[in-house]
Amino acid sequence: RRRTTIKHNPITMKCVLPLLVTSAVAFSPAPRSFVGVQQRSSSLSMLPTKQQTDSFYPFDKESSSKLSAVPPKSNEEVADGSADVRQLLGVKGASGTTDIWKIRLQLTKPVTWIPLVWGVMCGAAASGNYHWIWNPFDPNDRNVMLGLEDMAKGFVAMILAGPFLTGYTQTINDWYDRDIDAINEPYRPIPSGAISEGQVIFQIWFLLLGGLGIAYGLDVWAGHDFPTVLALSIFGSWVSYIYSAPPLKLKQNGWAGNYALGCSYISLPWWCGQAVFGELDRPVYFVL
């Protein structure tokens, strides 16, 4: 027989030998090295433990980042010298007082009278029948007595829309918000006890009935066959009541609350001023 000789290529051997050595080491039954265990345990130690998780989420127990709602204990008076004026206007930063009449005025929030008084003036001008005391632009509109009478009518209409019916609205709103104010604004007159509940209820009825009486007087003064101003006042008072009082409490509803505010602060005073000096259009009667 012929003997076959295998030639060994040195290049092939150089490539194969490293592969054989690597395979032998990988599949050998040698015990695991201690270094590998150490590395694996150090990797696991990077995971957060239960104690670390508690301190991370949501905040550390001793962290000062916690938010806490602390209601104000007293009203902070402004330091610009306007605290007494703010008290009379019924706005924040007011000074404290024990004068019952100042407290009653504060409940009516005089700062909110402005848009209604302005609405009455706009309605009077829109009627086309308001006369000046002495009109520098129209020589035919210089009847002093007629101008004084119209000025008096307009002033009474402003008193009706501002101090009486707006005062009624603001007082009844504070009355039905007294539980909320006891948390958010405990320095307000009602939750602070500066005015008793009986005095608040008396003020509500006084402003309401007084306003309706003035409204009827304006109807008589203007010679209305139908008491238009009284009807407007009754409607506005009813809207004010359901805006603040349960179960309707329109202020909790975005659309209904906005309608009530727009009706009370824009439409009704305008219609009142126009009705005192002129006539209202039919769409207004459809609303009523």
Side-chain angles (χ1 to χ4, degrees):
R1 292 183 183 177
R2 260 188 199 177
R3 189 176 291 179
T4 306
T5 57
I6 302 174
K7 277 189 173 183
H8 298 286
N9 191 339
I11 299 175
T12 305
M13 293 301 292
K14 285 181 181 180
C15 296
V16 172
L17 281 175
L19 292 176
L20 293 174
V21 173
T22 305
S23 301
V25 172
F27 292 101
S28 64
R32 298 178 183 176
S33 64
F34 180 72
V35 177
V37 176
Q38 234 181 358
Q39 288 177 347
R40 186 171 59 181
S41 63
S42 62
S43 300
L44 289 176
S45 65
M46 295 174 64
L47 296 176
T49 61
K50 187 177 186 303
Q51 185 178 0
Q52 290 173 330
T53 305
D54 289 342
S55 64
F56 173 77
Y57 182 81
F59 296 108
D60 183 48
K61 291 181 180 179
E62 304 299 329
S63 174
S64 60
S65 302
K66 284 187 176 180
L67 302 178
S68 57
V70 179
K73 296 181 179 179
S74 62
N75 185 25
E76 295 182 3
E77 297 183 15
V78 294
D80 58 2
S82 65
D84 292 336
V85 177
R86 288 170 177 266
Q87 194 276 326
L88 294 176
L89 293 178
V91 296
K92 272 191 172 185
S95 61
T97 181
T98 56
D99 189 334
I100 188 61
W101 295 108
K102 288 184 177 181
I103 294 171
R104 288 189 182 278
L105 183 63
Q106 183 181 2
L107 276 177
T108 63
K109 293 182 182 176
V111 72
T112 61
W113 302 353
I114 298 172
L116 289 98
V117 170
W118 179 252
V120 170
M121 295 170 61
C122 292
S127 69
N129 295 321
Y130 181 82
H131 300 88
W132 293 30
I133 297 176
W134 194 86
N135 191 343
F137 305 105
D138 187 1
N140 298 320
D141 187 17
R142 294 178 180 175
N143 188 329
V144 177
M145 296 307 297
L146 183 60
L148 288 172
E149 182 181 1
D150 282 0
M151 186 180 70
K153 282 182 183 178
F155 179 75
V156 174
M158 293 176 192
I159 295 296
L160 165 66
F164 276 87
L165 293 187
T166 306
Y168 156 79
T169 301
Q170 296 295 341
T171 306
I172 200 172
N173 182 69
D174 275 18
W175 171 254
Y176 283 107
D177 281 352
R178 62 190 185 277
D179 293 334
I180 299 175
D181 288 344
I183 300 173
N184 298 328
E185 296 180 289
Y187 49 81
R188 296 283 304 156
I190 298 177
S192 67
I195 185 171
S196 68
E197 294 185 357
Q199 290 171 320
V200 175
I201 294 173
F202 172 80
Q203 177 164 322
I204 291 172
W205 281 107
F206 175 80
L207 294 174
L208 174 61
L209 297 179
L212 297 180
I214 293 174
Y216 181 73
L218 283 171
D219 281 319
V220 174
W221 195 354
H224 292 159
D225 295 330
F226 176 79
T228 308
V229 180
L230 177 61
L232 289 170
S233 301
I234 293 173
F235 177 70
S237 302
W238 176 72
V239 171
S240 300
Y241 176 79
I242 64 175
Y243 175 80
S244 300
L248 295 179
K249 204 159 190 175
L250 300 182
K251 65 190 297 182
Q252 294 180 341
N253 183 291
W255 289 101
N258 289 333
Y259 167 78
L261 285 176
C263 175
S264 301
Y265 276 79
I266 300 175
S267 302
L268 288 174
W270 185 299
W271 294 343
C272 174
Q274 188 169 343
V276 170
F277 296 98
E279 296 181 358
L280 297 179
D281 299 330
R282 287 183 180 178
V284 176
Y285 288 104
F286 294 157
V287 173
L288 295 177

